[in-house]
Amino acid sequence: MASSSSSGLTFKLHPLVIVNISDHYTRVKSQLNPPPLTSTSATVNGVENQQQAPRVYGCVIGVQRGRTVEIFNSFELLYDPSTHSLDRPFLKKKQELYKKVFPHFYILGWYSTGSDAQESDMHIHRALMDINESPLYVLLNPAINPTQKDLPVTIYESELHVIDGIPQLIFVRSSYTIETVEAERISVDHVAHLKPSDGGSAATQLAAHLTGIHSAIKMLNSRIRVLHHYLVGMQKGDIPCENSLLRQVSSLLRRLPAIESEKFQDDFLMEYNDTLLITYLAMFTNCSSTMNELVDKFNTAYDRHSRRGGRTAFI
Amino acid sequence: MDIEQNQAELIDNFVKQASAQKGTALGSVILEATSHPSLFAFSEILAVPTIAELEGTENSVYLKVLQLFAHGTWSDYKSNCSSLPQLVPDQVLKLKQLTVLTLAETNKVLPYDELMMELDVTNVRELEDFLINECMYAGIVRGKLDQLRRCFEIQFAAGRDLRPGQLGSMIQTLSNWLGTSDNLLVSIQEEIKWADTMSELDKKHRKEVEDRVEEVKKSLSVKLQTVSRPKLSSEGSRISTLNLVE
């Protein structure tokens, strides 16, 4: 069903859309764990297949300028499995609301979750064709695959192909790029670095921070290794000397050591001492308050005899 | 790195010209190459066989000029003035720019006095103008001018052509860098392990303390049962105050 697209449109996907879709899916999936009384999305084959991942549906909106289609945002839709259609009045209302806030955004298509595009999706696709004559279908694969390097998001367009003499609409895959605005980049970065809610202890935060630095240095290390290998090869004569590269490497090496001057050492040591001092002070305060509590407890335990009429020590 | 890109085309051009001509004509090619405002790399041209042939002929001065521009400085030119042809002002400018690059190879902070001596410039104003207009705007050097301390802090300098021996020292520097980053990685690993072990110990300690508190509480409540009635009320109040304080 999917081959490569020939429409010549370039697609730009914002990460907000991906986060929205995955959030929608996660919410629905976690709400389904108790037997669903009111589910916000339908399972594909009725009640008995609750082990099967629920499919969620929604619309994607954005801007189309010439040959570039940029998908900015998305919202959720209710899917009625009995009539195999999306909730139209709700869609209309949402469309109006979004138009008021973002006058330039149009409904570009719809999204769903699953591992591959299916036949039933074509119905929904056709249904949306009255809003947008060539809607997009964004598919998110919620299966977690640790070996996969790319995003599990595919964008499908519909094209009219002649198969067996009958013109049919089929889905064709399109490539896309991820585009971010600065604000989006910051928030996605923040979300990616969320600490687990119960791991608030200082040690886990420190370990997480150090692990980040470690991986960054590891990348730098591997790159330096490549350069080193290359230069050694050049010296031995295995690789022909490429002067422009050598010049660049020499200019790079001249930047080392990156920071080494007396002033830096002074400032660095001063800041180091300040941090140690503050830690010491905090520890002091902690110790003195614990001591205070201990003394209070001691007094409560041992001092009462003077007031309680000749009572000896308790234990 | 954009300097290299800018130069790549020029270098190809000159290499083609050099290989196409011979003898005296090469002299004009070399002149053109050394006066070109954006060309700072000469080792490719040096490598062209027709130029190497100039060695020993009456045109060997041109070869020497090219070699001077590839590896030498303004002071080299001044000391060998007699054996080298007169340089046109463009070449003089270029040679001075290359001198700054060579100086940048050794130190990151260049005092004005040294620069003035190397470049034959008498006042600071002229020196700064030269550095700003010819070096920084050309993009071969990036740095900060510190007039109060009279020095030029270099953050980035384009590479000059390599002498044959420099490759070895570059490899040495790279392997040092590699060694340092390896060590750093190892120490970060150890720090992470230390942080984890310390938090483990801390948790264990906390648990132990809590267990002991529970034990003591239980033994107290046992003792409460065994004590006789009249004493009970004060004991009870004592235990209750203890519990409150805990």
Side-chain angles (χ1 to χ4, degrees), chain A residues 20-177:
Chain A
N20 273 347
I21 304 177
S22 99
D23 176 59
H24 186 194
Y25 174 76
T26 318
R27 247 186 299 129
V28 164
K29 188 149 173 264
S30 50
Q31 282 166 357
L32 273 187
N33 275 329
L37 297 172
T38 52
S39 49
T40 52
S41 159
T43 55
V44 178
N45 289 331
V47 186
E48 63 212 6
N49 278 349
Q50 275 170 16
Q51 289 84 20
Q52 194 178 18
R55 293 197 76 181
V56 301
Y57 298 88
C59 267
V60 293
I61 61 180
V63 181
Q64 177 162 5
R65 293 190 194 94
R67 305 299 277 167
T68 316
V69 179
E70 204 164 342
I71 307 176
F72 279 95
N73 206 345
S74 65
F75 57 86
E76 305 156 8
L77 286 176
L78 283 178
Y79 176 72
D80 192 350
S82 50
T83 61
H84 288 286
S85 67
L86 296 170
D87 190 352
R88 276 302 179 155
F90 182 69
L91 173 61
K92 274 209 125 23
K93 199 161 77 122
K94 270 288 214 210
Q95 196 178 357
E96 278 167 29
L97 289 175
Y98 269 95
K99 258 292 186 219
K100 283 197 203 140
V101 183
F102 302 110
H104 297 291
F105 286 5
Y106 293 101
I107 291 192
L108 293 176
W110 61 294
Y111 70 77
S112 178
T113 55
S115 50
D116 210 352
Q118 297 178 0
E119 292 292 340
S120 50
D121 297 340
M122 198 38 98
H123 298 290
I124 310 176
H125 206 81
R126 268 186 235 271
L128 273 181
M129 276 168 103
D130 60 343
I131 304 181
N132 182 332
E133 60 281 352
S134 167
L136 301 172
Y137 176 31
V138 179
L139 181 69
L140 175 81
N141 185 357
I144 303 177
N145 188 353
T147 56
Q148 190 181 23
K149 296 277 188 189
D150 311 318
L151 287 172
V153 176
T154 28
I155 298 189
Y156 291 103
E157 283 188 286
S158 59
E159 276 186 3
L160 208 55
H161 279 222
V162 179
I163 303 175
D164 305 327
I166 314 169
Q168 278 184 355
L169 271 182
I170 61 164
F171 282 127
V172 292
R173 222 176 221 185
S174 319
S175 62
Y176 60 92
T177 52

Side-chain angles (χ1 to χ4, degrees), chain A residues 65-300:
Chain A
R65 293 190 194 94
R67 305 299 277 167
T68 316
V69 179
E70 204 164 342
I71 307 176
F72 279 95
N73 206 345
S74 65
F75 57 86
E76 305 156 8
L77 286 176
L78 283 178
Y79 176 72
D80 192 350
S82 50
T83 61
H84 288 286
S85 67
L86 296 170
D87 190 352
R88 276 302 179 155
F90 182 69
L91 173 61
K92 274 209 125 23
K93 199 161 77 122
K94 270 288 214 210
Q95 196 178 357
E96 278 167 29
L97 289 175
Y98 269 95
K99 258 292 186 219
K100 283 197 203 140
V101 183
F102 302 110
H104 297 291
F105 286 5
Y106 293 101
I107 291 192
L108 293 176
W110 61 294
Y111 70 77
S112 178
T113 55
S115 50
D116 210 352
Q118 297 178 0
E119 292 292 340
S120 50
D121 297 340
M122 198 38 98
H123 298 290
I124 310 176
H125 206 81
R126 268 186 235 271
L128 273 181
M129 276 168 103
D130 60 343
I131 304 181
N132 182 332
E133 60 281 352
S134 167
L136 301 172
Y137 176 31
V138 179
L139 181 69
L140 175 81
N141 185 357
I144 303 177
N145 188 353
T147 56
Q148 190 181 23
K149 296 277 188 189
D150 311 318
L151 287 172
V153 176
T154 28
I155 298 189
Y156 291 103
E157 283 188 286
S158 59
E159 276 186 3
L160 208 55
H161 279 222
V162 179
I163 303 175
D164 305 327
I166 314 169
Q168 278 184 355
L169 271 182
I170 61 164
F171 282 127
V172 292
R173 222 176 221 185
S174 319
S175 62
Y176 60 92
T177 52
I178 302 280
E179 176 120 343
T180 33
V181 190
E182 192 64 24
E184 275 180 317
R185 189 185 62 78
I186 297 175
S187 33
V188 169
D189 207 41
H190 190 74
V191 165
H193 285 131
L194 272 183
K195 311 284 184 285
S197 50
D198 60 348
S201 81
T204 42
Q205 282 185 348
L206 178 64
H209 182 245
L210 283 179
T211 317
I213 298 184
H214 178 88
S215 36
I217 298 184
K218 201 152 133 192
M219 262 195 346
L220 179 68
N221 197 354
S222 64
R223 298 207 169 115
I224 303 172
R225 206 178 290 276
V226 166
L227 270 180
H228 184 233
H229 203 67
Y230 185 70
L231 282 191
V232 166
M234 224 187 248
Q235 190 181 45
K236 277 197 283 198
D238 301 332
I239 311 171
C241 275
E242 198 187 314
N243 281 301
S244 119
L245 213 75
L246 284 177
R247 280 193 291 269
Q248 286 181 28
V249 173
S250 79
S251 98
L252 175 70
L253 289 179
R254 245 176 272 152
R255 295 185 76 166
L256 298 175
I259 310 178
E260 184 173 302
S261 68
E262 219 178 274
K263 202 163 163 298
F264 170 69
Q265 288 282 42
D266 286 340
D267 287 342
F268 177 62
L269 286 175
M270 211 156 54
E271 201 166 315
Y272 190 42
N273 284 337
D274 283 343
T275 327
L276 287 177
L277 201 66
I278 301 284
T279 325
Y280 193 37
L281 207 61
M283 208 45 62
F284 247 145
T285 320
N286 223 357
C287 276
S288 64
S289 92
T290 322
M291 190 78 80
N292 194 25
E293 277 178 33
L294 177 64
V295 167
D296 283 340
K297 288 183 196 177
F298 193 84
N299 284 342
T300 326

